[in-house]
Amino acid sequence: KIYYYHYIFITMSINSYYKFFSFVLILLSISSFFIGFIYGENSAGAGSFSGDFVGLWKNLQVFLNNDLTTALKFTTELDGDNYRSSRTPLVYIFHAFLNPFAENKIYFIRSVFVLSLSAPILFYLCLREKFKNEQNLLLILISTTLFLSPYFRTSAYWGLEENFGLITLLLAFLFLNKFLSNKHSEWKNFYLLFLTTLFSSLCLYFDQKLTIIPLICFFQIIFSSKSFNLKSFSVLFYFIFSLPYIY
């Protein structure tokens, strides 16, 4: 009996230390992310107003100062002086039409920073959906490690393009896991399917390197136990969402 109580005491002590250090690590990662923004950190080397932001801001002006049809024509010019990017222009269309802070450099950078804060939250929700039996504290600790990535930090601090692909990737996997893991009504399944195909397709538009994401989602849907109608709609949705890219 003494050994039993001794074991319980040690277990409780270990759990207390685990919780304490987890809280400390979570606090440090979040704090360092905000401190890095305040001091204009450039850990990945592509930040600052003289870095990749120069080309990004020039591209954004094309969509702010022209109608959509004219702006898209500039994106098709080879060796053009108005627009240069290895990605499709969706991120600039998003900022021009949906970001009210896009016309001021400082406000624009701050708006991208705020949007980037959603990525660790979405990461946590994905983990929560996938690992339902794990402790919340552990999942929060894992999700906040994203704050420590120099790649993620620099993109968030200097309004760069990369984090938008990451956000849509996490949204795609979140809705995919919801679609596959539970039994829903046909209409809810249809709704989740639409969101999965939409956000996984947007991954490609934000960053071509993420082509693997819609492929993963597509094959997960096709080889799932869902109805033939839902699988057929997934093919239709992906075809429709591919049309702008083909254009």
Side-chain angles (χ1 to χ4, degrees):
K1 194 171 183 179
I2 294 175
Y3 285 115
Y4 173 75
Y5 286 119
H6 183 64
Y7 170 78
I8 295 296
F9 175 77
I10 293 175
T11 303
M12 291 176 63
S13 299
I14 291 173
N15 286 336
S16 297
Y17 283 120
Y18 159 72
K19 290 180 180 179
F20 173 76
F21 284 113
S22 295
F23 278 121
V24 169
L25 291 173
I26 291 168
L27 182 62
L28 286 175
S29 61
I30 295 174
S31 300
S32 71
F33 186 69
F34 281 90
I35 291 171
F37 177 69
I38 292 170
Y39 286 97
E41 178 188 307
N42 183 21
S43 53
S48 81
F49 286 115
S50 60
D52 289 354
F53 183 81
V54 175
L56 181 147
W57 189 250
K58 190 175 182 180
N59 291 342
L60 181 57
Q61 300 314 300
V62 172
F63 286 88
L64 289 175
N65 300 325
N66 298 280
D67 61 83
L68 182 59
T69 302
T70 304
L72 288 174
K73 288 181 180 178
F74 282 120
T75 67
T76 62
E77 293 180 352
L78 297 177
D79 299 323
D81 293 328
N82 296 293
Y83 179 93
R84 290 186 181 182
S85 178
S86 60
R87 297 178 174 87
T88 69
L90 179 60
V91 66
Y92 302 108
I93 296 173
F94 168 81
H95 286 307
F97 290 94
L98 297 176
N99 188 347
F101 307 103
E103 296 187 1
N104 179 283
K105 288 183 179 180
I106 301 300
Y107 290 155
F108 170 75
I109 285 175
R110 290 175 181 174
S111 70
V112 175
F113 173 75
V114 172
L115 287 171
S116 296
L117 290 172
S118 66
I121 297 173
L122 291 170
F123 190 18
Y124 164 77
L125 293 175
C126 288
L127 292 171
R128 180 77 275 163
E129 183 67 28
K130 189 71 175 177
F131 306 103
K132 298 181 186 294
N133 297 323
E134 294 296 336
Q135 294 183 10
N136 265 325
L137 186 61
L138 175 61
L139 301 182
I140 294 171
L141 177 62
I142 294 171
S143 62
T144 54
T145 58
L146 193 58
F147 284 130
L148 303 177
S149 165
Y151 184 79
F152 176 78
R153 291 165 73 97
T154 301
S155 298
Y157 297 160
W158 296 103
L160 304 184
E161 304 167 337
E162 285 81 356
N163 287 353
F164 290 89
L166 177 61
I167 290 170
T168 50
L169 178 155
L170 292 167
L171 282 167
F173 282 155
L174 177 62
F175 290 120
L176 176 66
N177 284 326
K178 285 182 177 293
F179 174 76
L180 296 175
S181 62
N182 297 311
K183 292 183 178 180
H184 305 292
S185 66
E186 194 71 8
W187 282 108
K188 189 168 184 180
N189 271 326
F190 182 85
Y191 173 70
L192 292 171
L193 174 67
F194 173 80
L195 292 176
T196 301
T197 54
L198 172 63
F199 285 109
S200 61
S201 298
L202 288 177
C203 290
L204 175 61
Y205 287 95
F206 281 123
D207 195 336
Q208 288 94 319
K209 295 193 297 294
L210 299 176
T211 306
I212 188 66
I213 304 304
L215 290 174
I216 290 173
C217 292
F218 175 73
F219 286 115
Q220 287 273 357
I221 294 166
I222 293 299
F223 291 109
S224 71
S225 59
K226 298 297 181 180
S227 68
F228 177 78
N229 287 340
L230 287 171
K231 294 178 183 180
S232 300
F233 271 112
S234 72
V235 175
L236 176 62
F237 287 151
Y238 275 120
F239 172 74
I240 293 172
F241 294 143
S242 70
L243 293 178
Y245 195 88
I246 295 171
Y247 169 78

